[in-house]
Amino acid sequence: MAESPRPAIGLSVGGTTLAAVTADRSVTRRAVITLFRHHPALVGLPGENPVPDEAGLVITDFVDRVGDPVPVVAADGSVHPGEGLLAEALRALAGVATGGRPLPPAVAVTYPAHWRGPAVEALRRALRRMPEWSATEPLLIPDTAAALTALQADPGLPTRGVVALCDFGGSGTGITFVEAGSHQPIAASVRHLDFSGDLIDQAVLAHVVAELSAGGAVDTTSTSAIGSLTHLRAECRAAKERLSSASVTSLPAQLRGFRGDVRLTRTELDDAIAPALAEFVAAVQDGMARSGVRPADLTAIATVGGGATVPAVTTALSQQLRVPVITTPRPALTAAI
């Protein structure tokens, strides 16, 4: 009788988003952790989780602090190593993905390819300190290697030439050139910070606010408007995601002087991100030149991450670089898958 495969879970670390995938479930959460005295830690924005019966300590911006000898200082003055917070967040996310059941023995964690060795080792040590993973250490994999494995499986990659892997994350986009057959990097991954999910959200927000302010009734300068703009930015992010498959959508806005729905089209989204997208394509071309990749050597662009679902991204890369653009059915989850 054949042995049934062990249950497994894939976890991926991004600058702003964490993801988990099991055989039957996938979960994404913002890279936010809430710590409690008498309650297990929760991962994600407070609104993404059930409300516990005690107040918690919300901590953000810890992913980029992994391996930093200077700890993260929380709002209450307490200090926390970045890698410890990330390990705790990954354990909490794994618990969400498994529905609270015991964590499976086979766990893989992908980390950003631009991380240096000390950051990877710091995370490795922090994961070992988690009780569930003290006996069987999770497998740590660069997200580029994981993404290329997933892309090779579905839908497939060229077997000759050079593939440019573009990983569109929340805080930046990674660019890696690899040999198509072996998937070996030609040069170190480069991180382009001027095109990211957060900056796209900000561009959409600026467009919406400009449209609402054109009539002169909306006030975005008062202190009370800060909370409203934060909420509106979240709505802009959701609208951006809907425009990946729709040509028009609407989003609710509640600002001083305006309450109602705002119409947003894919063309308006494309126009809002066009300057930053053009700079990104130029960065890919510059990276090719620096890595010694001739235009004739490039056989495909592989795209992963949330930004890979934006149609304008695919169009710009295909038109400017003159090669096919390949992605997966769920690009935001590619590394975890």
Side-chain angles (χ1 to χ4, degrees):
M1 181 175 178
E3 181 181 351
S4 60
R6 296 194 304 167
I9 184 168
L11 301 166
S12 67
V13 176
T16 62
T17 304
L18 308 176
V21 172
T22 66
D24 54 8
R25 190 176 186 187
S26 61
V27 180
T28 59
R29 289 285 190 274
R30 298 291 284 183
V32 178
I33 189 169
T34 306
L35 303 178
F36 303 90
R37 289 183 180 275
H38 308 291
H39 188 282
L42 296 176
V43 62
L45 297 171
E48 295 177 306
N49 295 303
V51 180
D53 55 5
E54 65 172 299
L57 180 64
V58 179
I59 305 178
T60 62
D61 300 325
F62 53 84
V63 172
D64 287 337
R65 301 290 296 277
V66 170
D68 190 335
V70 179
V72 177
V73 181
D76 66 349
S78 59
V79 295
H80 309 265
E83 57 272 17
L85 292 171
L86 178 55
E88 193 68 55
L90 291 172
R91 178 170 69 165
L93 184 65
V96 175
T98 58
R101 299 187 301 274
L103 299 187
V107 178
V109 179
T110 74
Y111 59 86
H114 66 268
W115 276 14
R116 297 186 179 275
V120 178
E121 288 307 310
L123 178 58
R124 190 189 308 277
R125 291 192 299 268
L127 290 171
R128 286 179 187 151
R129 289 193 286 270
M130 298 292 104
E132 295 87 347
W133 298 324
S134 59
T136 304
E137 180 180 312
L139 177 65
L140 288 177
I141 310 171
D143 54 9
T144 51
L148 289 166
T149 299
L151 285 157
Q152 181 65 52
D154 183 15
L157 290 172
T159 57
R160 62 174 183 82
V162 174
V163 174
L165 175 65
C166 300
D167 186 349
F168 298 94
S171 59
T173 299
I175 305 170
T176 309
F177 298 100
V178 301
E179 295 286 353
S182 65
H183 297 173
Q184 290 300 310
I186 293 174
S189 298
V190 175
R191 198 161 183 238
H192 182 75
L193 298 177
D194 294 329
F195 192 79
S196 67
D198 283 351
L199 290 179
I200 292 175
D201 298 343
Q202 186 63 37
V204 175
L205 174 64
H207 168 78
V208 170
V209 170
E211 289 291 309
L212 294 177
S213 300
V218 174
D219 176 19
T220 59
T221 61
S222 65
T223 304
S224 62
I226 295 176
S228 298
L229 288 173
T230 300
H231 180 74
L232 181 58
R233 178 169 176 162
E235 294 293 348
C236 288
R237 179 185 304 118
K240 171 196 70 177
E241 294 169 355
R242 292 194 296 273
L243 288 174
S244 295
S245 57
S247 58
V248 63
T249 189
S250 62
L251 60 148
Q254 296 186 7
L255 297 171
R256 187 174 178 181
F258 180 90
R259 291 179 179 270
D261 290 339
V262 180
R263 184 174 183 269
L264 184 68
T265 67
R266 183 183 292 176
T267 299
E268 291 171 320
L269 170 64
D270 294 350
D271 291 343
I273 68 174
L277 181 54
E279 290 184 9
F280 172 72
V281 174
V284 175
Q285 294 170 321
D286 181 65
M288 290 173 59
R290 291 175 180 272
S291 302
V293 178
R294 299 171 302 175
D297 298 331
L298 192 68
T299 52
I301 303 286
T303 61
V304 296
T309 63
V310 178
V313 170
T314 300
T315 300
L317 289 171
S318 177
Q319 289 181 346
Q320 295 298 318
L321 299 173
R322 303 293 181 180
V323 293
V325 177
I326 301 169
T327 191
T328 63
R330 296 187 291 174
L333 297 171
T334 300
I337 290 172

